[in-house]
Amino acid sequence: MGKVNFDDRSLVENGWNPETEMLYQDEKKSKKKLSFTREQKSIFCVAFLADLFSFVCVSLPAPFLPVVDESHNISSDVTGWILGIYSLVQLAMFPVFGKLMHRIGVRRTLLFGELVCGIFVIAFGLLEYLPVPDPTDKSIDVTYLVLAIVMRILQALGASAYATAAMTLLTSAFPDDTIVMLGYGEIAIGIGSTIGPALGSLLYRLGGFMTVFGGIGGLIILVFLVSWYLLPAESHTKKEDEKANWTLKEILTHPNVLLSVILIAFFGMLCTMNNPILEPELRSKFGLSQDLSSLVFLTVPVFYLISAPIATNFRKKFKNFDNLYCTTINFVLAAVVYLLMGPSPLFVHLQRPLWLLIVTLGLQAFLAEAGVIFTLELAFIPMNTRSGPTREMNTATQALVSGIWLTTFAFGEFLSPILSGMFIEKMSYGWTTTIYGVMCLVLAVIVLLIQLYRVIRNHSRKADSENKPLLN
């Protein structure tokens, strides 16, 4: 079967419609399937661990950092910035490492990032030994604040390097199973983002601040050693001399990528919106201790883990059902979940017992991960230019796309804790979740309109083609 040609003139013409997706998947299936080699298994193991620990650190201190910050006279909105600065640095550095990957080398980038991140995660634990201000002194502890921000920046710098390298490894080492492998990578990212609070709370209760960051930092150093041993020095990791066969402008202006990154940014917001505000809500409304709060936080990664394979298998089984319809339904369901989570003050008689809050937290994680899977393939399918034929993305281009994808996801993760911290300072938890629910409804309408426009435009072009007279 020949290559599928994608017209690049408009979103409608470039949309990943069921017909082109089916043709593309059939072409892939027609290729001879080989079992994974030992090298591929090693690469998958390294990439999975890298994605996991890169995003564990995003929300690791979320359950206990508000309490610690209060002792240093730091308000919840500033705590949101301390948590969010990690994702902000990732936002800036993902495209940088994606651009430089072919010069530095994938292996060196990954090892450098793991070593730097591990060292400064451990260093963050040393903040425990800073003196706590006198209770009568209400001024902000500037020393603590500056050191906390600097340490988070350096952690994020290292994490950005090895997360970008991990995504590039998955796309280059598994060319015939790119979307599936990226789905597993997204599972690692999701587990890392959501298990971080529960893991941090548990370790904090066991031994305090240094136990959390010394333990996790030590594990990252261990992952560095494992990666050094397992990751091959050649083949998929040695692409220093390869240049991207797509320019950054071509990638950023491609409608598939553009739509994908916008949606993924919002799903990144949904993953972290509760990080700075859930623990105070559990403490004030239900009187939960940090031990019980950590168990509530564990609900999120469990549902996140369940969601990814279900969403991936759903897309495989129902190829003819356009993923933008899936995304629309996903946003509508997410809006309902957020209205129940608050509960929304718009519904005066709506009650929210603890069990309902836990269920809605799980459903939020399930829908966020499913939404990422639905939109992920938009960014990594083979693309074309106005010249016509489809071009597969080489490793350098995949690194660029990985950097762009991770950048927008990190932007969402950075923005959401800050917005949540600002909202909770001015209004209740219920109104905060209501705002997110309304945003989900707005995006559902926008995505549905885009899809309907694509369908109408494609139908019109098909009719024009059928009515066009044949030339002798």
Side-chain angles (χ1 to χ4, degrees):
M1 181 176 294
K3 293 284 186 179
V4 178
N5 291 332
F6 295 85
D7 195 343
D8 194 47
R9 287 170 291 181
S10 69
L11 177 63
V12 172
E13 301 154 38
N14 285 281
W16 183 241
N17 58 57
E19 181 182 358
T20 55
E21 180 175 6
M22 184 169 58
L23 291 172
Y24 176 68
Q25 294 295 338
D26 288 342
E27 178 187 6
K28 288 294 185 182
K29 287 181 180 178
S30 65
K31 296 181 179 180
K32 185 178 179 181
K33 295 294 182 180
L34 299 176
S35 59
F36 293 148
T37 64
R38 182 177 180 181
E39 179 180 298
Q40 286 178 310
K41 293 177 182 178
S42 298
I43 288 174
F44 175 78
C45 179
V46 168
F48 190 91
L49 290 174
D51 282 333
L52 178 69
F53 281 99
S54 174
F55 285 85
V56 159
C57 298
V58 174
S59 55
L60 182 67
F64 57 87
L65 192 61
V67 177
V68 176
D69 285 356
E70 286 175 8
S71 66
H72 291 271
N73 302 322
I74 295 174
S75 61
S76 59
D77 57 337
V78 179
T79 298
W81 275 99
I82 295 175
L83 291 171
I85 195 68
Y86 187 99
S87 296
L88 179 62
V89 174
Q90 288 184 319
L91 171 67
M93 296 308 299
F94 278 142
V96 173
F97 285 116
K99 184 71 174 177
L100 298 177
M101 191 75 66
H102 74 282
R103 297 183 181 179
I104 303 174
V106 180
R107 185 175 190 272
R108 286 197 290 266
T109 302
L110 184 134
L111 295 176
F112 162 79
E114 289 174 340
L115 184 61
V116 170
C117 184
I119 290 173
F120 286 103
V121 167
I122 295 173
F124 194 86
L126 298 176
L127 295 177
E128 180 182 22
Y129 301 105
L130 290 178
V132 177
D134 188 273
T136 59
D137 184 7
K138 300 300 181 181
S139 60
I140 295 178
D141 188 345
V142 178
T143 302
Y144 170 86
L145 178 61
V146 171
L147 287 176
I149 291 176
V150 170
M151 294 298 177
R152 291 284 285 176
I153 289 173
L154 293 173
Q155 293 168 27
L157 178 67
S160 302
Y162 68 79
T164 308
M167 293 285 283
T168 305
L169 283 173
L170 290 176
T171 55
S172 61
F174 302 91
D176 294 337
D177 299 284
T178 298
I179 299 301
V180 175
M181 290 299 109
L182 288 174
Y184 285 118
E186 174 54 30
I187 291 176
I189 291 173
I191 294 175
S193 298
T194 52
I195 203 175
L199 188 59
S201 179
L202 176 63
L203 293 176
Y204 185 75
R205 294 292 295 175
L206 290 176
F209 212 76
M210 188 61 195
T211 301
V212 177
F213 297 100
I216 299 301
L219 286 176
I220 295 175
I221 296 296
L222 180 61
V223 171
F224 163 78
L225 297 175
V226 171
S227 301
W228 183 283
Y229 176 75
L230 290 181
L231 197 62
E234 302 294 332
S235 187
H236 303 292
T237 66
K238 189 171 183 179
K239 302 288 184 179
E240 292 90 338
D241 298 328
E242 184 180 41
K243 293 184 179 180
N245 60 344
W246 281 81
T247 66
L248 185 60
K249 181 180 179 181
E250 287 176 329
I251 295 172
L252 291 176
T253 56
H254 194 282
N256 285 350
V257 178
L258 186 61
L259 179 59
S260 176
V261 297
I262 292 173
L263 295 176
I264 287 172
F266 189 77
F267 284 120
M269 291 179 61
L270 298 187
C271 290
T272 57
M273 59 82 56
N274 263 313
N275 284 354
I277 62 176
L278 180 59
E279 190 276 334
E281 178 73 6
L282 294 172
R283 180 167 22 107
S284 62
K285 295 297 176 62
F286 300 103
L288 297 187
S289 63
Q290 285 190 344
D291 291 335
L292 293 177
S293 295
S294 65
L295 293 178
V296 175
F297 272 99
L298 275 175
T299 304
V300 179
V302 169
F303 278 83
Y304 213 105
L305 180 62
I306 294 172
S307 177
I310 292 177
T312 301
N313 291 331
F314 177 85
R315 289 299 298 140
K316 286 182 179 180
K317 187 174 181 180
F318 299 98
K319 299 176 190 176
N320 294 332
F321 192 59
D322 196 284
N323 56 12
L324 290 190
Y325 287 131
C326 298
T327 304
T328 301
I329 297 172
N330 187 288
F331 277 133
V332 173
L333 294 176
V336 175
V337 167
Y338 279 114
L339 294 178
L340 294 174
M341 184 185 294
S344 174
L346 298 175
F347 304 97
V348 179
H349 301 292
L350 186 62
Q351 300 296 318
R352 184 208 57 186
L354 180 60
W355 69 264
L356 181 59
L357 176 60
I358 295 174
V359 169
T360 53
L361 287 171
L363 291 175
Q364 171 211 1
F366 186 96
L367 293 170
E369 169 64 8
V372 171
I373 297 298
F374 292 151
T375 57
L376 185 62
E377 61 189 86
L378 288 173
F380 285 94
I381 61 173
M383 299 184 293
N384 74 324
T385 61
R386 291 179 177 83
S387 60
T390 301
R391 285 187 296 167
E392 296 280 355
M393 295 181 288
N394 63 9
T395 300
T397 302
Q398 290 164 352
L400 278 175
V401 176
S402 299
I404 294 168
W405 189 92
L406 289 168
T407 295
T408 53
F409 189 82
F411 175 74
E413 288 195 318
F414 158 73
L415 184 62
S416 191
I418 295 174
L419 290 178
S420 296
M422 293 171 57
F423 293 154
I424 208 70
E425 285 287 313
K426 305 295 182 182
M427 58 190 74
S428 66
Y429 183 84
W431 277 115
T432 300
T433 59
T434 300
I435 292 174
Y436 281 96
V438 171
M439 287 192 288
C440 288
L441 284 177
V442 171
L443 278 173
V445 172
I446 293 174
V447 172
L448 181 60
L449 290 176
I450 290 174
Q451 176 60 12
L452 291 177
Y453 177 74
R454 291 171 57 187
V455 171
I456 294 172
R457 186 67 175 271
N458 283 338
H459 180 75
S460 176
R461 288 186 175 275
K462 183 178 180 181
D464 290 342
S465 177
E466 291 175 351
N467 294 330
K468 185 177 180 180
L470 295 177
L471 297 177
N472 292 327

